[in-house]
Amino acid sequence: MKVVVGTNEEISKQIAEEFIKQVQKKPNSVLGLATGTSPLQVYANLVEANKSGRVSFKDVVTFNLDEYIGLEGTHNQSYRYFMNENLFNHIDIDKSKTHVLKGVGDYLDYANKYDDLIASFGGIDLQILGIGSDGHIAFNEPGTSFDSLTHVADLAESTIVDNSRLFNDISEVPTKAVTMGLKSIMNAKKIVLIATGKNKAKAIKELLTGDKSEENPASVLIDHPDVTIYVDKDAYSLVK
Ligand code: F6R
């Protein structure tokens, strides 16, 4: 795994450039996207690059990592809403080519078809990930099988607490989600992970210095041939 250390501004710019290069090289690229605070500046950079005419997303296909069970796509904490608000509404993407797991209705059916759907587009060319303070990637919490495909997951208590900052009350945070599995993520051709802030320091230390173990979901990445971990000083602070 390659490691890049910089400010959030610097690493977000570098990751955005990876996405821009990818789409310039292959206009119908399949991009794997994440929600949460970590990729926000990356998405802001992509919006700017699109507005200035440097890159077009009109032929791009996207797949998001996860969605809360119980939230409609119109709910302001759903991940579909997040993607529309922070990226899709501001770029020239064809929304029918954007895929976000469903949180209501036939969500199970859709989840069961998700990996095949990704494969039918040729697989994910470039995947962005955040990381949870407990080492989760997507909503794969400690104990998730490295062989997992898209599935229903229970959120760990620490994830519910972390994510409650975005809800009015912790009781409103969904306790279940649909998520791409660890094997689904490993199928991506290239992966970038972004982590900033002190509360990610332990997870980054375990990822970069620990062993591969299902108790540390992010450690599945150790065996991937093309992963870059982008961190700020705080997230990197326990490594050296
Ligand atoms: C979101 C996702 C999660 C987040 C992680 C970090 O799609 O897959 O694994 O990346 O919970 O969240 P933030 O970036 O809000 O700290």
Side-chain angles (χ1 to χ4, degrees), residues 33-39 64-66 79 129-133 136-139 159 163 165-166 194 199-200:
L33 302 177
T35 56
T37 306
S38 306
N64 262 80
L65 288 167
D66 41 20
Y79 288 170
L129 299 174
I131 186 170
S133 57
H136 72 240
I137 50 175
F139 273 130
T159 302
N163 292 5
R165 72 189 190 277
L166 303 166
I194 177 166
N199 74 325
K200 302 293 170 73

Side-chain angles (χ1 to χ4, degrees), residues 26-66:
K26 182 183 169 198
N28 62 346
S29 287
V30 181
L31 305 180
L33 302 177
T35 56
T37 306
S38 306
L40 278 174
Q41 288 234 20
V42 175
Y43 296 158
N45 282 304
L46 293 181
V47 169
E48 201 182 303
N50 182 236
K51 287 207 190 309
S52 70
R54 274 189 72 209
V55 66
S56 169
F57 294 94
K58 73 178 175 46
D59 296 321
V60 158
V61 175
T62 68
F63 285 90
N64 262 80
L65 288 167
D66 41 20

Side-chain angles (χ1 to χ4, degrees), residues 42-98:
V42 175
Y43 296 158
N45 282 304
L46 293 181
V47 169
E48 201 182 303
N50 182 236
K51 287 207 190 309
S52 70
R54 274 189 72 209
V55 66
S56 169
F57 294 94
K58 73 178 175 46
D59 296 321
V60 158
V61 175
T62 68
F63 285 90
N64 262 80
L65 288 167
D66 41 20
E67 179 61 283
Y68 286 121
I69 290 180
L71 301 191
E72 295 273 357
T74 49
H75 188 287
N76 67 8
Q77 288 308 326
S78 78
Y79 288 170
R80 160 56 74 183
Y81 185 92
F82 174 102
M83 290 311 301
N84 287 346
E85 286 291 304
N86 291 296
L87 185 64
F88 301 151
N89 286 348
H90 311 290
I91 59 176
D92 64 345
I93 202 161
D94 174 352
K95 279 229 187 92
S96 70
K97 293 185 176 145
T98 67

